[in-house]
Amino acid sequence: MKKVMKFSICMLVTMTSIAASYANDFSSYIDDKEKAEITLTLDDVKAGQQLLIKDVNGLILHRETIENSGVYNNTFDLTNLPNGNYYFEHQKAYQIKIIPFNVSNGKVAFTTEKQTTIYKPVLRVKENNLLVSKLALDKEPLEVKIYYDGKYSSSGYELIHSDMISNEMNIERIYKLDNKEKGNYRIVFESNGREYVENVKI
């Protein structure tokens, strides 16, 4: 017989702004000399962060791991790409910076005003509490799904709770797990058309 897990949800009473912890540093510089080679400069990068080039369908055309912290400089020849829209994606710990560009007949054009930042959901674990926060500047929805793979689960991870949060700019939630239910949990976040997965053990 499947054991029913107790699960309680409570919203943080004090809503504090988390904007300060997500520095929005649009510090990229693009040099398009002769429109053949593009030099991309990013300030305040950290070693281990990812830089990708994607097309509009999300297909990864280039991926690299940033090796050194500080200022990143690299030159890209993008003129051989087919005509269309593309973007650089700089993946940081808590945010993703999107830098779009267009290729037309061998010429590359960047639209600086269309640069955007996607803020990732942040998960912290305190005892048997899951603390979730996210900055949603456009009040985009965040779906939270919590799966459990404990001693009473015979078929792997089972969904024990789901939550859809919308119309909030500063999202903060506490999900209180039954402290008798020790084991592995998987938290899946969906927002901005992306999925983020965190595995924790309570």
Side-chain angles (χ1 to χ4, degrees):
M1 184 169 126
K2 184 187 291 186
K3 184 175 180 180
V4 178
M5 296 181 61
K6 296 179 181 177
F7 199 95
S8 62
I9 308 166
C10 59
M11 185 186 300
L12 282 174
V13 177
T14 305
M15 299 294 286
T16 58
S17 173
I18 58 174
S21 63
Y22 300 104
N24 189 359
D25 59 336
F26 278 131
S27 53
S28 60
Y29 170 71
I30 298 141
D31 180 12
D32 60 349
K33 305 179 205 177
E34 302 177 359
K35 296 197 177 290
E37 292 186 340
I38 305 300
T39 299
L40 178 68
T41 301
L42 300 168
D43 292 338
D44 195 27
V45 302
K46 303 295 183 185
Q49 293 177 348
Q50 297 287 310
L51 181 68
L52 300 86
I53 299 176
K54 292 183 176 182
D55 66 11
V56 290
N57 297 314
L59 179 66
I60 298 174
L61 306 176
H62 171 79
R63 180 198 296 271
E64 67 176 278
T65 301
I66 295 174
E67 296 181 355
N68 301 306
S69 299
V71 177
Y72 168 90
N73 277 287
N74 200 5
T75 300
F76 298 88
D77 185 354
L78 307 173
T79 56
N80 290 326
L81 290 175
N83 291 347
N85 296 313
Y86 303 88
Y87 55 94
F88 283 98
E89 184 174 289
H90 178 200
Q91 296 187 355
K92 300 184 178 184
Y94 300 118
Q95 60 181 247
I96 301 172
K97 182 176 179 181
I98 307 295
I99 306 171
F101 64 92
N102 174 267
V103 176
S104 179
N105 299 321
K107 294 184 178 181
V108 179
F110 286 82
T111 310
T112 306
E113 62 270 17
K114 290 187 178 180
Q115 292 185 9
T116 57
T117 296
I118 295 173
Y119 295 94
K120 299 179 182 180
V122 178
L123 173 68
R124 292 186 297 120
V125 180
K126 187 175 182 180
E127 297 177 346
N128 62 314
N129 296 313
L130 303 177
L131 289 73
V132 175
S133 59
K134 184 183 186 303
L135 183 60
L137 295 179
D138 296 322
K139 297 186 178 180
E140 63 271 15
L142 171 67
E143 185 174 14
V144 182
K145 293 181 180 179
I146 301 174
Y147 296 84
Y148 178 61
D149 182 26
K151 59 185 178 181
Y152 296 102
S153 175
S154 59
S155 58
Y157 283 94
E158 296 183 37
L159 179 66
I160 60 171
H161 181 75
S162 63
D163 190 15
M164 178 64 78
I165 307 164
S166 59
N167 202 34
E168 295 184 29
M169 185 174 293
N170 289 327
I171 297 173
E172 292 187 335
R173 293 290 189 278
I174 294 178
Y175 299 96
K176 185 176 178 62
L177 305 174
D178 189 335
N179 57 16
K180 296 178 182 178
E181 303 297 344
K182 305 297 183 181
N184 299 312
Y185 290 84
R186 176 168 295 162
I187 298 86
V188 178
F189 303 101
E190 293 184 19
S191 185
N192 301 103
R194 298 167 183 260
E195 183 178 272
Y196 311 89
V197 179
E198 297 277 359
N199 294 301
V200 299
K201 187 170 184 177
I202 304 297

